[in-house]
Amino acid sequence: MKIKFELNHEFVEVETTLSKRLLDVIREDFDLIGTKEGCAEGECGACLVYVDDLLVNSCLVPIANVVDKHVVTIEAFSKTDGYQKIEDAFVKAGAVQCGYCTPGMVMAVHELLKQYPNPTVEEVKEGLSGNLCRCTGYQSIFEAVNLLIEGGYLDV
Amino acid sequence: MFKSYRPHSISDLLDIIDKETCHIFAGGTDIMIRKRQWQGAERKFTQNVVYINHLTELKGIEETEDAYIIGTLTTQTDIVKSNLPEYIRRPYELMSSPAIRNVATVGGNIVNAASVADSLPILYALDASLELASKYGKRIIKVDEFVLGKYKTNRQTNELLTRVIVPKYESEGYFYKKLGQRKASILSKISVFILHQPNNIRITIGAVNDLVIRSTELERQFVLDKDIASLLSGYKSLMNGKDDKRSTKDYRETTALNLIEDYLKEIKDEL
């Protein structure tokens, strides 16, 4: 059946079944491969996307739950000013190694700083608790978050 | 093969489940994992699936004079951000990760009825009731009568959990602790929830047995005699869990009783 939703600020229609995962539709039907499949069980956060401004694991969302909603993937997010600041901070802190977790991690960092412009260490850990990174040991990611806090991430 | 439905109204939904046995799919954060399949494929559902997440009438929190009424599709994030008392919000805040809480629903955690469901100890302690609807009407059932075992409930296949009714409780204090392999994004090895007011205490223990442990008899006795040792041996006798991949029976029982003991020593004089 035809499913309609908004993807990265454009109205789209796709021929699929209700029970297909949003992750697979994004990657296979729209060829947007920034969103990754890691664990496929909601633990690793590599597949995070926004659905109607809420961060969700796209590996756990069937397309049925996306009908008429607005999905924003890393491809669209990477065109924002916020993204640019996060990228700069990640580069400066060396927060990227293999890069597989990075698209999800970047979105989680954005969401964290949106919720808590000045987070405590505990809030940072809780905000990023749904994102696994097997390379960095997280310290450089926390450092990147600190750079963003110091730089006033949300003051545009 | 299975069929997937996305009905436009609750009454259409009730018609569908009256005719066919379906997975009722809300947030789906548990069933999507249990029915996992290779990349690109549909999940391996063994029954027809009916999607209900878009039925917004089933979402939201109402307050009456003596209860909070929570729609089944209210998400865990909605609870965390609500004005509900902290002792209700806190356990939801500690469940899973932010992105999962944005999707996972209050009703899902109950109907799924996992032995590790972190919302159940709270609902048991507060004497919550559930409203179930079918094509033929509604019924209300106490949560401890609804959950029958691990992944087993009293829900009939033509019924939908619509609302959770949580009676208000004037709490003088509460204790909530869950233990797991890491602090966030983890299933509980055990959880302990305690609520109290003068002359009343509620104690529930989650994830030790298949069902939440609560004994109103032990609670009443404790308020009378303040005898911690006999209370603990009472709870010990109710524990019948097993070793599993998350923890051992010994660890669970010992830590649960220790947590209860520590907190009761602290508050004994306030009861």
Side-chain angles (χ1 to χ4, degrees):
Chain A
M1 65 186 290
K2 282 222 184 338
I3 305 284
K4 288 181 191 173
F5 63 104
E6 199 179 342
L7 177 60
N8 294 336
H9 315 291
E10 275 175 41
F11 290 98
V12 296
E13 210 176 74
V14 60
E15 182 62 41
T16 185
T17 56
L18 284 170
S19 295
K20 203 161 169 192
R21 297 182 304 176
L22 173 59
L23 173 66
D24 293 323
V25 172
I26 294 169
R27 288 182 58 89
E28 295 178 1
D29 295 288
F30 292 96
D31 216 16
L32 297 170
I33 55 172
T35 307
K36 306 292 188 232
E37 171 155 12
C39 67
E41 53 185 39
E43 295 283 338
C44 79
C47 67
L48 289 182
V49 300
Y50 277 98
V51 175
D52 280 0
D53 271 333
L54 286 174
L55 207 55
V56 307
N57 295 92
S58 62
C59 74
L60 298 184
V61 175
I63 203 75
N65 285 356
V66 177
V67 176
D68 295 334
K69 298 200 168 179
H70 187 189
V71 178
V72 175
T73 68
I74 188 70
E75 282 83 0
F77 181 67
S78 67
K79 300 198 171 80
T80 61
D81 294 344
Y83 170 82
Q84 199 50 54
K85 289 187 190 177
I86 297 174
E87 184 188 293
D88 293 347
F90 268 55
V91 169
K92 214 168 186 177
V96 177
Q97 285 187 34
C98 87
Y100 201 80
C101 74
T102 309
M105 196 65 85
V106 162
M107 309 263 266
V109 165
H110 172 72
E111 184 62 19
L112 162 72
L113 294 174
K114 211 170 81 183
Q115 303 266 341
Y116 304 100
N118 212 341
T120 62
V121 176
E122 278 306 301
E123 283 163 350
V124 173
K125 288 184 178 173
E126 155 60 27
L128 303 183
S129 62
N131 295 74
L132 300 181
C133 171
R134 299 289 78 189
C135 303
T136 62
Y138 304 101
Q139 290 312 311
S140 53
I141 295 171
F142 296 154
E143 252 171 65
V145 172
N146 281 334
L147 291 173
L148 289 160
I149 299 167
E150 285 162 18
Y153 176 65
L154 286 183
D155 319 332
V156 183
Chain B
M1 267 308 277
F2 59 90
K3 283 186 259 174
S4 306
Y5 301 102
R6 193 171 176 277
H8 290 293
S9 67
I10 297 176
S11 74
D12 287 354
L13 159 68
L14 295 178
D15 279 340
I16 293 171
I17 61 176
D18 195 54
K19 288 191 205 102
E20 299 169 39
T21 302
C22 293
H23 290 303
I24 300 181
F25 192 115
T29 52
D30 195 81
I31 196 170
M32 287 293 275
I33 299 168
R34 282 206 263 153
K35 305 293 178 187
R36 67 186 285 175
Q37 177 87 303
W38 58 80
Q39 249 179 23
E42 290 192 307
R43 301 301 88 184
K44 213 164 40 187
F45 295 120
T46 44
Q47 292 172 356
N48 293 341
V49 184
V50 57
Y51 292 98
I52 65 167
N53 213 41
H54 55 287
L55 299 174
T56 46
E57 325 74 298
L58 295 170
K59 197 174 155 115
I61 304 167
E62 280 168 54
E63 186 176 346
T64 66
E65 206 176 311
D66 47 14
Y68 302 102
I69 300 172
I70 304 171
T72 191
L73 290 182
T74 307
T75 64
Q76 297 177 350
T77 298
D78 294 334
I79 298 281
V80 172
K81 291 191 168 165
S82 71
N83 298 321
L84 290 169
E86 188 185 305
Y87 57 79
I88 300 178
R89 283 185 281 120
R90 186 69 182 145
Y92 286 95
E93 205 169 33
L94 296 177
M95 280 162 86
S96 199
S97 62
I100 301 272
R101 289 196 296 269
N102 282 341
V103 172
T105 63
V106 169
N109 200 248
I110 300 168
V111 175
N112 198 31
S115 53
V116 294
D118 283 332
S119 69
L120 290 177
I122 291 84
L123 299 174
Y124 272 64
L126 290 164
D127 288 326
S129 301
L130 310 173
E131 182 192 79
L132 296 160
S134 76
K135 201 181 161 179
Y136 308 99
K138 287 178 180 172
R139 67 176 172 127
I140 305 247
I141 182 169
K142 295 271 296 288
V143 65
D144 60 341
E145 290 163 17
F146 179 74
V147 182
L148 302 177
K150 197 173 181 175
Y151 299 124
K152 277 198 211 95
T153 72
N154 170 280
R155 186 183 73 83
Q156 306 303 303
T157 55
N158 69 349
E159 286 180 314
L160 169 74
L161 169 63
T162 45
R163 305 200 292 173
V164 183
I165 302 149
V166 186
K168 288 182 180 171
Y169 184 88
E170 284 294 324
S171 160
E172 292 274 304
Y174 81 99
F175 172 81
Y176 180 71
K177 181 93 182 161
K178 96 178 215 188
L179 297 177
Q181 204 71 353
R182 56 183 282 223
K183 206 166 165 191
S185 190
I186 198 69
L187 296 175
S188 294
K189 291 180 180 201
I190 66 148
S191 67
V192 169
F193 184 64
I194 304 176
L195 267 177
H196 57 93
Q197 58 186 206
N199 294 313
N200 184 275
I201 189 161
R202 315 262 177 104
I203 302 174
T204 52
I205 306 165
V208 171
N209 292 356
D210 283 353
L211 291 168
V212 172
I213 300 174
R214 182 176 177 200
S215 164
T216 48
E217 209 175 299
L218 289 171
E219 290 170 1
R220 269 197 298 272
Q221 189 58 37
F222 181 71
V223 171
L224 294 176
D225 63 19
K226 312 273 168 70
D227 184 346
I228 295 182
S230 86
L231 180 87
L232 295 178
S233 74
Y235 280 114
K236 172 91 182 160
S237 72
L238 297 175
M239 293 175 170
N240 60 20
K242 293 188 203 77
D243 294 357
D244 64 20
K245 63 183 174 186
R246 268 190 291 281
S247 188
T248 63
K249 176 178 164 67
D250 271 355
Y251 177 86
R252 287 196 166 105
E253 296 187 356
T254 310
T255 47
L257 295 174
N258 287 349
L259 287 170
I260 295 173
E261 181 177 12
D262 279 1
Y263 186 67
L264 292 185
K265 278 184 180 157
E266 220 176 277
I267 59 150
K268 209 164 107 170
D269 300 330
E270 297 166 30
L271 282 174

